Amino acid sequence: MAENNDTGSDTKRVLMKGNEAVGEAAIKAGCLCYFAYPITPQTETPEYLAKRMEQENLIFLQAESEVAAINMVFGASAAGARVMTSSSSPGISLKQEGISYIAGGELPCVIINVVRGGPGLGNIEAAQADYFQSTRGGGHGDYRCIVLAPNSVQECYDMVMNAFDLADFYRVPVIIQSDGIIGQLVEPFDMHPYKPMFEKLPPKTWALTGCAGRKPNVVRTLYLNPANGLEMHNRKLEERYKKIHSELRWSETYNCDDADIIVIAYGATSRIAKSAIKKHNTNGVKVGLFRLKTLWPWPDVELVEIAKKNKDVKFLVIEMSMGQMLEDVQLSLMDVVPKKDILFYGMGGGWNPTPDGVYEKISEIINK
Amino acid sequence: MAKKAQVNLEKCKGCDLCIGVCPTGAIHRSGTSNKKGYNYIEINFEKCNGCGACYIICPDCCFTLIETTGSAR
Amino acid sequence: MNIIKTQPKSITTDSTKYCPGCGHGIILRLIGEVVDELGIRERMILTAPVGCAVVLYDYIFCDVVECAHGRAPAVGTAIKRVHPDKFVLIYQGDGDLAAIGMAEIIHAANRGENMSVIFVNNATYGMTGGQMAPTTLIGQKTTTSPSGRTVKGMGKPIRVCELLATLEETKYLERTSINSVRNINKTKAAIRKVFQNQLNGIGFSMVEVLSMCPVGWKVPPIEAVQFIEEQMLNYFPLGVYKDTE
């Protein structure tokens, strides 16, 4: 199921920052509540929404902490509203308990993580070292969040709209895994009207609205009895995650039909890598790009297909981290590609690759 | 017409708080326990004046205040 | 024979999980009485805390959300803003409100959220078996202050009503107790006031209820009632600490 974002007539070409585009997209997608807390490099989102949500008479609240903010998201979602929050790595860590409750409570919401260097206070450079945290649930217990990874301001806009629909459709938290570069990036994009992904979304009969005319609704995550109550709940969630994995694997390929090397990347690194790849292609070097748009569910089926199509291909995983997505690549390709042919080029701590750096790395591999 | 208190023995957890607040000393321990193993209380109807103190202090809502028509049971 | 008074209609359980003599049971009934009297069951959304009252949804017949430990004021803030016409009741214990959730209650109060808070102060963590809470008294033995709470290293019990009274956006703060029939009646009046304030859009209103925890304090219920009378009332004076009238 590909995301559909065809542009209608009332579409404007707009120049905007990634962190602002996500805000506008949320408003257009019918987000009622946004709970914020300042943290570089995402604070343009609360600043933008503070103005815009006041104009639109929506609910904007800067909370006392990211912990309070995610629990406000929990409350607003339990009350049936479309709700979003945004933060950056250290703040996202503070939100993990709340996200686990939201997942356990089968509540929809949108969470934006503009990833920065870590661990600890880290720095304010772009990074991708929260990959494990976002794609493995992040908090306590067995759960997953859908994770979308934009690599342009247009995708910041489109993916936030998709996120609200996916969250309501599947009743799971949806994370937008942006980063310091994508968040701060200013480029033109098509600001098209909101166009729902699904004809019909399941009605929120479970929402807390006051039990007039119905049995009371309860949003809870504690399962004490029967003794296997929580086990059954986990089974139910697992079925849902399998369904999402079967229906929602978004990825994009460039020049992967006949390649000697295929770069695997997402977000900012995928665009930086593409410049280097194009340069090599003009020199007749067969290099391709496999770009993830959903980090969870992971597009393993698509990657395996590409590996089978390109005999003896080498994969070069590029990440602004010490190698996290690398493990998912190894996991997906373990029956198809020898481990020695899965190479890594990356660094944590807010390191950002350059086109030339990627170009040279690819040359090294070619000349070996 | 007399006001009295009735008690649901299955809900009583034997906390005895009602014994202490009953102004007429109408409540005492029964010496036997209910299905859940709690030592429940009993009301002496003659002494009970239906004031409701027991209803107010009881943490488990065991008491019901009633108005008997005709002679007290 | 007609019934003058029995279990309030909005209370659905015929047996709670609370221990014998536990104050939560009394407060639960008082809430049921006031909800019935004000006729607000069908527009009420209740937050259940982490603690002995976590399964409130098994006891009260209205919409309930079970919150993370200490976060009910934040959850309630969002619910009240999404449904300003609904009645939001925040129910918390002392560990929930005054320890892990202190930032949340202070900021909800400081924003003047129009919601009603019932804060059950039983000077211990009951659900987990009687550990020291922010409101545990000096000298009070708990499983984590085995030789009695000392000022040195453990600080003094926190007086929440007085603390929140300094926040100008709080509109009603009262401390009551449920260790006697008279005090229970006053607690009911305070609950009714805190509910009515929300219905009238007055703003943040809270009642702090000194409550018994016999099992946590390791005393029979009768002595727990005396513990409040002889110990807690001295340190936590009853009374109204903020009112708009």
Side-chain angles (χ1 to χ4, degrees), chain C residues 3-23:
Chain C
I3 293 177
I4 303 166
K5 227 175 185 193
T6 187
Q7 178 162 307
K9 279 204 280 320
S10 39
I11 302 299
T12 52
T13 180
D14 54 11
S15 132
T16 70
K17 288 197 174 55
Y18 298 134
C19 310
C22 167

Side-chain angles (χ1 to χ4, degrees), chain A residues 33 35 59 61 64 67-68 71-72 74-76 79 81 101 208-214 216-222, chain C residues 41-43 45 54 57 61-68 71 74-75 77-79 81-83 86 103-104 107 111:
Chain A
C33 308
F35 300 106
I59 297 168
L61 171 55
E64 56 269 27
V67 175
N71 279 284
M72 290 173 185
F74 181 87
Y101 272 73
L208 307 181
T209 54
C211 63
R214 61 168 167 74
N217 283 335
V218 177
V219 173
R220 67 187 180 104
T221 55
L222 180 72
Chain C
R41 182 184 68 79
E42 291 191 327
R43 52 186 279 223
I45 300 172
V54 67
Y57 45 78
F61 200 52
C62 70
D63 278 3
V64 177
V65 57
E66 195 188 81
C67 302
R71 313 308 172 195
V75 176
T77 292
I79 293 173
R81 298 212 177 183
V82 171
H83 299 306
K86 294 301 188 298
E104 276 74 15
H107 285 278
R111 289 190 299 264

Side-chain angles (χ1 to χ4, degrees), chain A residues 114-153:
Chain A
V114 183
V115 181
R116 65 188 251 177
L121 199 49
N123 65 19
I124 54 171
E125 294 292 328
Q128 295 179 322
D130 298 2
Y131 177 90
F132 282 153
Q133 182 182 60
S134 293
T135 58
R136 272 29 180 202
H140 56 288
D142 285 301
Y143 68 93
R144 297 291 178 131
C145 303
I146 291 174
V147 185
L148 308 179
N151 78 345
S152 66
V153 174

Side-chain angles (χ1 to χ4, degrees), chain A residues 62 77 82 146 164 166 183 240 249 254 258 311 335:
Chain A
Q62 181 178 311
S77 182
R82 278 195 158 183
I146 291 174
F164 279 102
L166 292 167
R240 179 171 306 165
R249 293 187 311 277
Y254 172 76
D258 169 24
K311 246 171 73 45
D335 304 333

